[in-house]
Amino acid sequence: MDEETEPPEQTEQTEQAEQPATGSVVCARCGTTAEGDAVPVTWLSSVEDGRRLHFCESCARLHIRAIESRLDSLWW
């Protein structure tokens, strides 16, 4: 008896595509505003609880050990 097995249903995962920054970009830690409307290359981007957060170069350098340990920004 040859039974055909159907592949498991694939759930549609709607991944949020990275959207270009609109307006000014603000550091989620200290409130520093970036010049222009794009995220500077030297800034850190993080996704926490489904929200994209940006951190300025100063905050990223100050908290690099916590960032590398993958601690949420609430812990720093």
Side-chain angles (χ1 to χ4, degrees):
M1 194 186 242
D2 193 20
E3 292 183 24
E4 291 185 30
T5 58
E6 294 181 23
E9 289 184 25
Q10 294 179 357
T11 58
E12 291 183 25
Q13 296 177 355
T14 55
E15 294 181 17
Q16 295 178 353
E18 185 173 332
Q19 300 175 355
T22 56
S24 60
V25 180
V26 179
C27 176
R29 185 85 181 147
C30 69
T32 300
T33 304
E35 295 179 14
D37 60 349
V39 179
V41 177
T42 57
W43 283 37
L44 178 104
S45 295
S46 174
V47 177
E48 297 178 13
D49 295 326
R51 297 180 308 147
R52 180 166 302 278
L53 302 175
H54 302 287
F55 299 99
C56 68
E57 183 176 358
S58 298
C59 289
R61 286 179 182 263
L62 184 62
H63 300 287
I64 191 68
R65 293 184 72 185
I67 293 167
E68 288 179 348
S69 298
R70 297 184 176 257
L71 294 175
D72 284 342
S73 61
L74 296 174
W75 288 95
W76 348 319

